[in-house]
Amino acid sequence: MPEPTTPEPLPAELRALAAEADALAERTAEMAARLEATDDGHLQRLAQPMNKATDDLAGYTGEIARTAESLARVRVSRDPHLCDVPWGVCPVHGVTLHSLGDRAWCTATGCDNSWDYDRLHTPCTEPAAAIATDRDGVTGSLCSAHASDAARRLDGCSIEYLGHRTTNG
């Protein structure tokens, strides 16, 4: 397992943990099979909780692996060349996402964009295309979709795209 270099876990550490959980699930499945293979009914019944443990471990393995993927996306989103907004967008239609579980999709009519992770509740990883400044002087780097949304929704917000400036309100 990689040595931790930050206080937060690394995606590689979570992937290693998922592999360990997967190996443990395989071992419990083997033990359950060995119990089922005996001629003793008492031992055969003990296979049932072992099979449940195997299923539970498999579920945990999946959760850990999904967390590793999400952590990797969050860490990528810290790149200063990416959008600062802590939620995702459809890169074509903007703030039109819906999510359920580990899936997200654009709700714009005719858009087929979908993702096999909860893009709506994950920091945006689109390239920064503008600098937005709110009425209090707070600035942030935004992708074109978030910048367009900010210009429409935020009173007193100025957006600087590629060297020119627009103001809302």
Side-chain angles (χ1 to χ4, degrees):
M1 176 150 52
E3 284 294 315
T5 57
T6 64
E8 65 192 34
L10 299 173
E13 291 176 286
L14 291 177
R15 286 190 291 272
L17 183 61
E20 290 171 18
D22 191 46
L24 183 56
E26 287 178 20
R27 287 182 49 214
T28 55
E30 290 170 15
M31 294 296 160
R34 287 173 58 193
L35 287 167
E36 287 173 340
T38 67
D39 293 333
D40 185 330
H42 295 289
L43 293 179
Q44 290 172 346
R45 281 191 292 281
L46 294 176
Q48 187 174 12
M50 290 299 289
N51 283 326
K52 182 187 179 319
T54 300
D55 291 344
D56 290 348
L57 284 166
Y60 299 146
T61 299
E63 287 298 319
I64 295 167
R66 282 188 288 282
T67 301
E69 291 171 13
S70 296
L71 178 59
R73 281 190 284 278
V74 168
R75 290 175 63 91
V76 163
S77 75
R78 293 177 181 161
D79 182 325
H81 299 99
L82 299 179
C83 183
D84 289 339
V85 178
W87 62 87
V89 292
C90 173
V92 177
H93 298 103
V95 186
T96 55
L97 295 185
H98 186 74
S99 69
L100 183 63
D102 290 331
R103 284 193 13 78
W105 59 94
C106 179
T107 59
T109 303
C111 185
D112 293 328
N113 283 338
S114 65
W115 297 267
D116 61 355
Y117 66 95
D118 185 356
R119 184 177 174 97
L120 177 61
H121 298 103
T122 302
C124 186
T125 56
E126 293 298 314
I131 302 297
T133 305
D134 71 12
R135 67 169 41 160
D136 296 324
V138 177
T139 63
S141 299
L142 304 181
C143 66
S144 57
H146 276 118
S148 177
D149 184 60
R152 278 192 316 274
R153 294 181 194 233
L154 300 179
D155 188 36
C157 178
S158 65
I159 308 291
E160 186 176 341
Y161 290 97
L162 304 175
H164 67 282
R165 196 170 189 86
T166 60
T167 302
N168 178 14

